[in-house]
Amino acid sequence: MKPVATAVATAALLASVVACGPKGPDYTSVWTTSSTATPTTTVEKPVPLSQYLNSIGVTGKQVAPDSLPDLTVSIPTPPGWERFTDPHIAPQTVLLAKNKKYPTARLVVFALNGDFDPAQVIKHGNDDAQLFDNFKQLDASMAPYNGFPSSMIQGSYNNEDGTRLHSLNRIVLPTGSPPGKQRYFVQLTITSLADQAAAQAGGIDMIIHGFVVAAK
């Protein structure tokens, strides 16, 4: 289960669909490094999605978004952003950045194997974010994305060097078209410096609203 676990662990948070997207956020509310956390609606301890998938025997193989025969998965490239590669990240990952710095967008897709209920799996979609250092939630949703089970969360957290980051994270669990009906794990993460999130909103919004997950 290492492929899916790696994707979930390295991602921060996932973007939203136009119809179910976050309201116009007040970014200043997530710049603070205060330890005061936003109350959550669940009393259960967060279970990382990778851990949950491992526990139910689901495995996955990373695939390039543009190579899928039964599913369309894509994001647009805003003006000033460009695609880049990283030797430490799987080549099937789509990476975009503005001026080779923040903000960044990361798109990963895994073909999943194993018997599971997507509606149950997606309940853990936002759990990883709540485990980040000093995470402060701004918005979240469990509404479907284009008819597929999905979770979305956005907020701010401290990375390993203490830098405050703002991220939007969306996970979608789509099923490919018949006859195969292959199940997939799709994750989009958009990350910016917290104090620059509002200034970079134009390009970020273009990616959020242009994110496509649809059966062919």
Side-chain angles (χ1 to χ4, degrees), residues 140-213:
S141 172
M142 298 300 294
Y145 190 98
N146 199 21
F148 298 123
S150 180
S151 65
M152 182 280 294
I153 190 168
Q154 64 170 318
S156 64
Y157 65 98
N158 297 333
N159 70 359
E160 294 179 354
D161 65 6
T163 301
R164 194 72 179 166
L165 300 176
H166 178 86
S167 285
L168 297 98
N169 186 76
R170 179 171 286 279
I171 292 172
V172 186
L173 299 178
T175 300
S177 59
K181 294 185 177 181
Q182 171 67 50
R183 288 175 171 175
Y184 294 94
F185 168 98
V186 178
Q187 184 175 35
L188 172 65
T189 306
I190 306 175
T191 307
S192 61
L193 295 173
D195 59 1
Q196 295 181 11
Q200 302 292 348
I204 291 173
D205 286 347
M206 181 177 177
I207 296 174
I208 294 172
H209 298 315
F211 178 39
V212 175
V213 180

Side-chain angles (χ1 to χ4, degrees), residues 37-141:
T38 302
T40 58
T41 56
T42 178
V43 296
E44 297 181 358
K45 182 179 179 180
V47 176
L49 182 55
S50 59
Q51 179 180 322
Y52 179 74
L53 290 172
N54 275 314
S55 73
I56 61 175
V58 176
T59 60
K61 177 181 179 181
Q62 188 169 359
V63 292
D66 60 2
S67 70
L68 309 179
D70 54 354
L71 193 72
T72 298
V73 179
S74 65
I75 53 174
T77 302
W81 295 55
E82 61 183 0
R83 188 165 178 173
F84 71 99
T85 58
D86 186 318
H88 302 294
I89 297 176
Q92 296 91 345
T93 304
V94 173
L95 297 170
L96 300 179
K98 186 173 183 179
N99 299 323
K100 299 181 179 180
K101 303 176 183 178
Y102 287 114
T104 64
R106 177 193 301 239
L107 176 63
V108 296
V109 180
F110 285 81
L112 300 179
N113 296 299
D115 185 18
F116 65 95
D117 180 356
Q120 291 299 316
V121 171
I122 204 62
K123 290 180 179 179
H124 298 280
N126 290 340
D127 285 2
D128 290 77
Q130 299 174 32
L131 299 174
F132 278 90
D133 182 28
N134 194 20
F135 175 70
K136 187 171 184 180
Q137 180 176 309
L138 178 61
D139 193 16
S141 172

